[in-house]
Amino acid sequence: MNDALAMCQLLKSVACVTEKTLSSALQPLGITYCQATVLRRLSKGSVNMSALAETLCCNKSNVTQIVHGLLRKKLLTKIVSPQDRRQVSLSLTAEGEQAVKSIDVSLRDVATHCFCKLSAAEKKQFCALLDGCLASCAEAH
């Protein structure tokens, strides 16, 4: 296996283990990692379904399922455009805003633990390397 392919596999493995670890931390809150990602994105302002699909790197039908779960939990509201019913905007409810605060505490603690073996300088370098990889992949895509 060449080095680039080995690095891709390693990144995928790290992402998988990290996501499982973060998901476990969210279980007491009754929220999945994908739901947490949506809520955290909405905490930055109202967003449409297409933007969420891009954030989650998945198709709109998957986002629809995630959003319906959050609507049932009353953590967000859905606003349909009167001009075009296909245009839907989502925003957090007060309960959703509270959930984001709890999510942030849970995820920050677990993420800190996941990277505790790295020094501050190594974390900064790691982020820079990942940014470079992301840019290269985006150019190739």
Side-chain angles (χ1 to χ4, degrees), residues 38-52 55 75-81 87-93 97:
V38 168
L39 291 171
R40 292 184 80 236
R41 171 58 187 85
L42 287 170
S43 71
K44 297 174 185 168
S46 181
V47 69
N48 64 34
M49 300 286 268
S50 296
L52 284 177
T55 296
L75 297 176
L76 56 86
T77 59
K78 182 172 154 179
I79 302 149
V80 178
S81 169
Q87 295 291 346
V88 175
S89 181
L90 302 166
S91 56
L92 293 177
T93 62
E97 289 174 14

Side-chain angles (χ1 to χ4, degrees), residues 13-120:
S13 296
V14 168
C16 183
V17 169
T18 303
E19 185 170 338
K20 284 180 184 178
T21 303
L22 294 172
S23 293
S24 293
L26 294 169
Q27 276 183 330
L29 301 175
I31 293 178
T32 67
Y33 183 69
C34 286
Q35 288 175 330
T37 302
V38 168
L39 291 171
R40 292 184 80 236
R41 171 58 187 85
L42 287 170
S43 71
K44 297 174 185 168
S46 181
V47 69
N48 64 34
M49 300 286 268
S50 296
L52 284 177
E54 191 172 310
T55 296
L56 293 171
C57 297
C58 66
N59 62 44
K60 289 179 192 174
S61 64
N62 290 353
V63 172
T64 300
Q65 287 182 303
I66 295 164
V67 165
H68 281 271
L70 293 169
L71 287 167
R72 281 191 300 274
K73 293 178 184 191
K74 300 187 183 343
L75 297 176
L76 56 86
T77 59
K78 182 172 154 179
I79 302 149
V80 178
S81 169
Q83 291 85 14
D84 184 351
R85 297 199 48 81
R86 295 172 295 171
Q87 295 291 346
V88 175
S89 181
L90 302 166
S91 56
L92 293 177
T93 62
E95 293 89 350
E97 289 174 14
Q98 275 305 119
V100 169
K101 290 176 185 173
S102 298
I103 289 164
D104 284 348
V105 169
S106 295
L107 294 182
R108 184 177 48 244
D109 292 347
V110 172
T112 298
H113 179 73
C114 285
F115 296 99
C116 68
K117 295 187 187 282
L118 299 178
S119 69

